[in-house]
Amino acid sequence: MKRTTISLIAVATALAAVTGIASLTSPEGDAAPQNKAAARLPVERSSLMCPAPSTSELAETLYTSFTPAAGEGAGAGGVEKPTAELRPSASVLADTDAAPAKDDKDADADRDADADRDADGEKEAGDSAAAARKPAPDKPVVVLEAPGKPVAADADGGEAPALVGTATGALAPGWTAQQTTTVPAGGGRGLLGVSCTAPDTDFWFPAASLSERRQDYVHLTNPDDTSAVADIELYGKDGELKSTLSEGITVPPGGTVPVLLSTLTADKADDVTVHVTTRTGRVGAVVRSADETDGSDWLAASADPAGTAVLPGIPADATSVQLVAFAPGQEDADLKVQLAGPTGTITPAGFEKLRVKSGMTAMIDLKDVTRGEAGTLVLSPAEKGRETPVVAALRVVRGKGEKKEVAFIPAAAPVGARATVADNRDKGSFLSLTAPGKAAQVKVSVSAGTRGGTAAVKTYTVKAGTTLTITAPVPEGLRGTFALTVQTVSGGPVHASRMLEVPDDGIPMFTVQNLSDDRGTVSVPVAEQDLSVLDD
């Protein structure tokens, strides 16, 4: 038999196997029709990364992990034993040992303990890059065993490492983790909250700073087993800042690298936009900002560049609101500035429009723009039909004098089908829901607590052009912390954020996290038989 004949038989056999599988997965064994839309199926694997929480010996960090129940869209198959674990990063600084995490009961019992030692400063990027590295403990910090009920663990002090995690099977769709750190005193004082990030190759961080009173670090964490190489670009009010140290930053496999922004350039710009990209691999990226007088918090990445930006959940009692925006394209952006409040959308007097020049960072001080009513800032094209992509973030301060605290609100993508935020508490958790266009109806589900409680569901209507701010529903019989899930039932897009408030000694400590679509499902094309490929 000729070699070409053997090859054709092998090809035909392989195609028969593939088309056989396709027919088995189509309804009633028939070939899938050509016009059938792709199916959306739950993902079977998710990755998350949590940055090293703090270098302060006073720090108390709570980790919370959660996957929505199967009835809310989970339930992926194909994995015999689903897992969802957060483990210490594979590489930690040589002078840093991973702090063991306490179990769930100890976390809730000890979270409010007083501390009496001064905070330590962060290590500079050059020191961290040059330091020798050693393997981190293999023991997972947080282990989630079933959907529908959150789990928590905590770590005290300034040696807790970054965490890298993977969820598989039924625990993967919508897997969410929150890292919340309380630092009561010192240079890093504040309530620092961040939703652990999924890996990506492109991040924008407006509202960072190089001012002398700020210490801003970008934390890069690599979830994969090969090295990632990242570049960091800085843009001020006059364009890109000169830097010789921001290219080709290697992030080791499973490791993390904190980079002090002020070491990348001699410029001391008050407001900068940070752009993180990867040449190879992917990373999780987030900025930790500490202000000498205003406290500290995490700055998460802005939503992808778009013609309209929605920044949800400005607190009613905000004493200072600064908007920082950047236009990454080739054209300038002329934006209309509006505030969506509880009764409608208004244009703040004196701040009607904002011009953002291409490649330059723009900042406007909106002062106490909310004037006692919680709201959402909406940026849209000043001229219809002329949309120029922008990224944006807010720097929000509550309190006055020595009793101030800062948090950041980046532009948020819509909630979409479903979005979740973990670590909600019986007091101090507030949910902001904004419908910038059409009215919408949303379903808000609260899970059981980490140590007890009954899940519950409520439905809310958000009127067009308004922001609905509610105290987060609390599960009956709550013990511990709980997760909160928002699902769009009908109407237009909804943007949401959660504010967590933990007052301390008269300081209104708070942090804000956006809720964006958890991408718990993926589009899977429908296969069909096509034996015509065997024809001559």
Side-chain angles (χ1 to χ4, degrees):
M1 185 178 292
K2 294 183 178 180
R3 183 175 301 174
T4 54
T5 304
I6 296 174
S7 299
L8 285 174
I9 292 174
V11 170
T13 302
L15 287 171
V18 171
T19 54
I21 294 174
S23 64
L24 286 173
T25 56
S26 62
E28 299 180 2
D30 296 330
Q34 292 183 359
N35 61 352
K36 186 173 181 179
R40 294 204 65 86
L41 300 177
V43 300
E44 295 190 1
R45 186 179 180 87
S46 297
S47 296
L48 291 177
M49 286 144 288
C50 310
S54 177
T55 56
S56 170
E57 292 303 318
L58 304 178
E60 298 178 353
T61 299
L62 179 70
Y63 302 102
T64 311
S65 176
F66 175 76
T67 294
E72 299 172 13
V79 178
E80 293 183 2
K81 185 179 180 181
T83 60
E85 297 180 347
L86 287 166
R87 294 175 175 270
S89 59
S91 298
V92 292
L93 298 182
D95 60 352
T96 301
D97 292 321
K102 299 178 182 180
D103 63 24
D104 194 16
K105 295 180 180 179
D106 290 337
D108 287 304
D110 295 345
R111 187 169 59 245
D112 296 326
D114 292 329
D116 58 0
R117 288 174 291 177
D118 293 331
D120 292 333
E122 297 247 21
K123 294 186 179 296
E124 292 191 0
D127 293 337
S128 64
R133 298 178 181 275
K134 63 180 181 180
D138 190 49
K139 182 180 178 181
V141 175
V142 190
V143 179
L144 182 66
E145 297 181 347
K149 181 181 178 181
V151 295
D154 74 357
D156 295 338
E159 297 183 340
L163 304 182
V164 178
T166 301
T168 60
L171 295 174
W175 183 42
T176 302
Q178 169 83 11
Q179 173 181 292
T180 308
T181 302
T182 303
V183 182
R189 173 188 60 77
L191 182 69
L192 299 90
V194 63
S195 294
C196 300
T197 58
D200 208 337
T201 59
D202 198 338
F203 303 85
W204 290 97
F205 300 96
S209 179
L210 300 170
S211 70
E212 292 184 356
R213 75 175 195 177
R214 290 266 295 268
Q215 294 284 302
D216 286 13
Y217 286 75
V218 59
H219 287 243
L220 307 174
T221 305
N222 178 6
D224 300 320
D225 56 6
T226 57
S227 293
V229 179
D231 294 337
I232 301 175
E233 299 168 334
L234 304 176
Y235 297 88
K237 61 183 180 63
D238 297 320
E240 186 171 1
L241 303 178
K242 293 182 180 180
S243 174
T244 58
L245 302 173
S246 61
E247 295 184 350
I249 299 171
T250 299
V251 186
T256 186
V257 174
V259 181
L260 179 61
L261 296 181
S262 62
T263 63
L264 303 181
T265 178
D267 201 309
K268 295 299 179 184
D270 287 342
D271 302 291
V272 297
T273 298
V274 180
H275 187 205
V276 176
T277 57
T278 60
R279 297 184 186 184
T280 59
R282 54 185 188 157
V283 296
V286 64
V287 173
R288 183 181 186 272
S289 175
D291 189 292
E292 290 180 358
T293 59
D294 295 348
S296 62
D297 204 353
W298 291 102
L299 167 60
S302 170
D304 292 338
T308 298
V310 180
L311 300 93
I314 307 172
D317 61 350
T319 53
S320 173
V321 179
Q322 293 179 336
L323 167 65
V324 181
F326 179 80
Q330 299 299 315
E331 297 183 0
D332 298 346
D334 291 307
L335 301 172
K336 180 169 54 177
V337 180
Q338 295 178 299
L339 183 70
T343 58
T345 300
I346 63 170
T347 300
F351 306 107
E352 293 84 1
K353 292 183 180 180
L354 172 64
R355 184 174 181 82
V356 186
K357 294 183 179 180
S358 172
M360 301 181 186
T361 297
M363 189 280 286
I364 56 174
D365 190 348
L366 300 171
K367 304 184 187 301
D368 55 344
V369 65
T370 56
R371 298 188 182 278
E373 292 185 334
T376 292
L377 203 70
V378 180
L379 305 178
S380 58
E383 181 180 342
K384 289 185 178 181
R386 187 177 178 181
E387 293 195 356
T388 302
V390 296
V391 291
L394 297 173
R395 182 178 182 274
V396 180
V397 174
R398 299 173 69 210
K400 296 181 179 180
E402 297 180 354
K403 302 292 186 179
K404 292 190 294 186
E405 168 70 331
V406 69
F408 296 91
I409 304 175
V415 166
R418 182 186 63 187
T420 299
V421 64
D423 190 9
N424 298 281
R425 307 180 186 184
D426 58 348
K427 295 180 180 179
S429 295
F430 304 92
L431 178 65
S432 290
L433 303 166
T434 302
K438 297 180 180 179
Q441 189 177 60
V442 298
K443 181 171 69 173
V444 177
S445 305
V446 294
S447 73
T450 52
R451 295 188 294 117
T454 304
V457 178
K458 289 189 177 182
T459 301
Y460 298 90
T461 298
V462 187
K463 296 180 181 179
T466 70
T467 295
L468 176 64
T469 303
I470 60 173
T471 300
V474 176
E476 184 177 352
L478 173 66
R479 296 183 63 204
T481 66
F482 64 96
L484 185 152
T485 299
V486 177
Q487 294 171 276
T488 305
V489 177
S490 62
V494 173
H495 300 256
S497 69
R498 185 282 313 270
M499 183 180 85
L500 178 63
E501 177 185 55
V502 183
D504 182 73
D505 191 26
I507 301 172
M509 289 190 176
F510 75 115
T511 183
V512 179
Q513 280 74 55
N514 290 339
L515 284 82
S516 299
D517 194 317
D518 62 24
R519 293 179 289 185
T521 61
V522 291
S523 180
V524 179
V526 178
E528 64 179 58
Q529 296 183 21
D530 184 4
L531 299 181
S532 64
V533 297
L534 299 179
D535 295 339
D536 292 333

